[in-house]
Amino acid sequence: MTERTFSIIKPDATKRNLTGKVNAVIEDAGLRIVAQRRIQMSQAQAEKFYEVHKERPFFGELVEFMTSAPVVVQVLEGDNAVAKYREVMGATNPEQAAEGTIRKLFALSVGENSVHGSDSQDNAKIEIAQFFTDDQIVG
Ligand code: RTP
Ligand code: MG
């Protein structure tokens, strides 16, 4: 089933000029980038986006990292896009990520792990709406 997921190319990747290389892996996997914008996340935006993790010990570090440099926010479309993109991203910890995944190829550590992808269709809808209006998504 064609669906959409939300992606962020994180600061460690934008700082190393890897946006195009990450996008090539996304497109080679059959996902279509149907919206994309480079932004500097504010502290409030990052805190809201990662609200589910606010009690976790790494929350402060995570917000600091996500606001440390520009990020690229994206909407990806394709067959089973949510699950497919999680597969393409690889495990949260790059040491456990499978060969050929974005995190295996590019991530520096469990914190600086190059990309975010929604973990469910419900969260994908919520996350997309935080950064894009419907008319900004062109499928
Ligand atoms: P994401 O939400 O960014 O797509 O990553 P994920 O689902 O694979 O991982 P999640 O458990 O949702 O954690 C969100 C992000 O928090 C950072 N993190 N740091 N220092 C740590 O132990 C730690 N654990 C998680 C990572 O940047 C992770 O992607
Ligand atoms: Mg997550």
Side-chain angles (χ1 to χ4, degrees):
M1 195 190 63
T2 300
E3 59 183 27
R4 287 174 176 172
T5 191
F6 179 70
S7 163
I8 304 178
I9 303 178
K10 294 183 179 183
D12 67 282
T14 62
K15 273 196 286 197
R16 287 176 290 148
N17 219 15
L18 292 171
T19 298
K21 288 196 167 125
V22 170
N23 279 348
V25 179
I26 289 170
E27 293 184 336
D28 285 349
L31 291 164
R32 189 170 289 275
I33 301 163
V34 293
Q36 175 169 258
R37 187 166 76 247
R38 182 171 164 106
I39 60 166
Q40 170 63 52
M41 251 198 215
S42 67
Q43 172 138 348
Q45 263 177 323
E47 283 174 354
K48 183 171 174 224
F49 184 75
Y50 277 122
E51 202 169 16
V52 291
H53 294 310
K54 72 170 180 284
E55 305 304 332
R56 308 277 284 277
F58 56 80
F59 181 70
E61 232 174 85
L62 178 57
V63 169
E64 196 180 323
F65 168 58
M66 292 301 287
T67 56
S68 66
V71 299
V72 176
V73 290
Q74 307 176 304
V75 180
L76 311 181
E77 189 176 88
D79 251 14
N80 298 309
V82 171
K84 181 177 268 184
Y85 190 45
R86 297 289 294 186
E87 215 178 288
V88 171
M89 286 171 21
T92 310
N93 183 344
E95 285 174 17
Q96 282 146 27
E99 289 300 327
T101 61
I102 293 169
R103 284 167 168 168
K104 177 71 174 188
L105 287 165
F106 306 120
L108 300 175
S109 65
V110 67
E112 299 193 74
N113 61 2
S114 303
V115 280
H116 161 84
S118 307
D119 58 13
S120 67
Q121 280 192 62
D122 284 349
N123 282 337
K125 290 202 174 86
I126 293 166
E127 292 173 1
I128 288 168
Q130 279 179 40
F131 293 93
F132 293 100
T133 54
D134 281 346
D135 65 302
Q136 293 172 330
I137 305 168
V138 184

